[in-house]
Amino acid sequence: MTPRTLWTILLKILGLYIFLQFLYLLPEVFAISVQAIDHDISGVLEITASLLFIISVYLFMFAGLVFKTSWLIDKLRLDKGFTEEKLELNIHRSIVLRIAIIVTGAILFIETLPSLLKELFAYYQEINSYNGFKHYPHAGWITFYLVKLLISYFMLTSSRPIVNFIERKRKDKIRTEDSQP
């Protein structure tokens, strides 16, 4: 693997991550737009301009990182300064999968924990206003964040069984392809 290939992979992964963050942002943009309709026209224009700016920044970063990767590597000179032309990475596929699962679980955990704590704090503040958890309007979000947090914790602590499951599925698929004429 050359340094340029490594940077290409990393930048494209970063671009896809930014696109996923953009998809998470869309419902919030829609909610803000709907709420802005109730306000005066100057507020609507200001909010619309800022939302369009934010959306354009996300899309510009996504397009640059995914579609203009070579140009970006050349302009930032990311592939310069390496002593060797080829980078040798002798890592087994299962270790790469395990690292990817742990990193994904950590990112998911870091994203979810503050949201869950915020919703739990809001529920605690309004606990006297509702007759139980199921009548609380944001109970679904608390449940969603709790499940998401448990999945991320499972990914962090049990990466080996997940990798074994993925590898078993891959090996079963290879065996069925080899047995067919």
Side-chain angles (χ1 to χ4, degrees):
M1 174 185 298
T2 64
R4 186 173 192 84
T5 307
L6 176 68
W7 281 112
T8 301
I9 292 169
L10 290 175
L11 289 176
K12 287 188 185 251
I13 289 172
L14 181 63
L16 292 175
Y17 178 75
I18 287 174
F19 183 71
L20 286 175
Q21 293 303 313
F22 172 72
L23 291 179
Y24 288 141
L25 179 74
L26 281 180
E28 294 176 24
V29 168
F30 180 71
I32 290 171
S33 301
V34 170
Q35 288 178 353
I37 293 172
D38 296 338
H39 298 297
D40 61 339
I41 192 70
S42 64
V44 171
L45 292 175
E46 185 178 308
I47 290 173
T48 303
S50 62
L51 290 177
L52 287 175
F53 176 73
I54 291 170
I55 289 171
S56 63
V57 167
Y58 268 97
L59 291 178
F60 177 75
M61 288 172 41
F62 167 72
L65 289 169
V66 173
F67 300 117
K68 300 288 185 181
T69 309
S70 296
W71 179 82
L72 199 58
I73 291 171
D74 291 338
K75 291 298 177 193
L76 296 176
R77 299 179 190 162
L78 295 175
D79 57 346
K80 306 296 185 231
F82 287 92
T83 56
E84 296 181 25
E85 185 60 31
K86 285 202 147 221
L87 302 174
E88 292 295 325
L89 298 174
N90 295 327
I91 301 174
H92 193 269
R93 177 180 36 254
S94 64
I95 294 174
V96 173
L97 279 172
R98 192 166 181 199
I99 291 170
I101 289 168
I102 289 171
V103 168
T104 305
I107 290 171
L108 197 62
F109 189 86
I110 290 169
E111 285 181 347
T112 306
L113 186 62
S115 301
L116 177 65
L117 293 176
K118 181 186 88 162
E119 289 294 333
L120 286 173
F121 182 70
Y123 173 70
Y124 178 73
Q125 285 181 327
E126 300 175 16
I127 200 164
N128 294 330
S129 302
Y130 300 102
N131 295 334
F133 182 73
K134 70 179 184 177
H135 296 292
Y136 180 62
H138 296 280
W141 284 109
I142 292 174
T143 307
F144 172 72
Y145 291 136
L146 187 61
V147 169
K148 197 172 168 184
L149 193 73
L150 291 174
I151 289 171
S152 65
Y153 180 74
F154 178 72
M155 290 173 72
L156 285 169
T157 59
S158 304
S159 60
R160 184 178 300 275
I162 296 171
V163 169
N164 290 342
F165 177 76
I166 293 170
E167 286 291 320
R168 189 171 359 135
K169 289 291 183 184
R170 186 188 64 80
K171 288 177 184 175
D172 290 343
K173 183 178 178 184
I174 291 172
R175 285 185 197 140
T176 57
E177 289 175 358
D178 288 343
S179 65
Q180 294 177 354

